[in-house]
Amino acid sequence: MKTFKTISVNVAVLSLLKDAALPVTDLEDSVRRVFGGLYEEDELIGVVGVELHPPAGLLRSLAVAQGHRGLGYGSVLVRHAEQLATNAGITELFLMTTTAVALFERCGYRCLPRAAAPESIRTSQQFAGLCPGTAEFMMKHL
């Protein structure tokens, strides 16, 4: 049985993110974030985070463990991230991706020019430098 829990950044989360080649260097700063973990029994098999820049949010750090990819857990994690964001008062959720445009389109996100990003998102470390300029910028109204 799979369960979803709100979690803190820990060694297992960092390991999963690093295995997926996602940035972790900014996770120690003071920006408010909420993270959720998808578990199979006691094993963390997926993680997703939302940076809180009310009323905007930045979906980030979506990763599924290698042996669990291709089973639909990415979509499950996106839905959980949206719930975390909604619970935190976020009304627009943004993201950047170099590999998962199709996944996010299926979840209702649409591509936008980077110039359309609100100031709070443009000044985030993710937007300003951790994600490459070639990443697609996407958003969804919650």
Side-chain angles (χ1 to χ4, degrees):
M1 182 173 157
K2 311 292 185 285
T3 57
F4 186 81
K5 302 176 191 173
T6 301
I7 58 175
S8 300
V9 175
N10 58 40
V11 173
V13 169
L14 292 173
S15 177
L16 195 54
L17 295 176
K18 288 177 184 175
D19 285 348
L22 294 174
V24 298
T25 57
D26 63 325
L27 295 180
E28 300 295 324
D29 66 16
S30 63
V31 172
R32 287 184 40 226
R33 297 179 184 90
V34 290
F35 277 84
L38 184 63
Y39 288 85
E40 184 173 70
E41 298 186 19
D42 290 333
E43 179 189 4
L44 179 67
I45 62 168
V47 67
V48 67
V50 178
E51 276 191 23
L52 306 175
H53 303 278
L58 185 62
L59 189 152
R60 58 163 300 159
S61 305
L62 174 67
V64 176
Q66 187 78 335
H68 298 273
R69 293 181 185 159
L71 301 173
Y73 297 134
S75 296
V76 170
L77 287 164
V78 170
R79 284 193 302 277
H80 284 297
E82 292 170 354
Q83 188 61 57
L84 291 170
T86 299
N87 292 348
I90 301 302
T91 59
E92 293 183 319
L93 196 54
F94 296 87
L95 64 91
M96 288 161 286
T97 183
T98 57
T99 61
V101 170
L103 165 68
F104 290 112
E105 286 178 335
R106 284 192 306 275
C107 293
Y109 290 78
R110 62 186 174 90
C111 293
L112 292 175
R114 290 174 76 97
E119 178 70 18
S120 61
I121 300 300
R122 277 198 313 270
T123 58
S124 72
Q125 287 191 53
Q126 284 284 306
F127 189 94
L130 290 178
C131 279
T134 57
E136 287 289 342
F137 181 64
M138 304 180 80
M139 73 88 60
K140 180 178 182 179
H141 292 284
L142 300 179

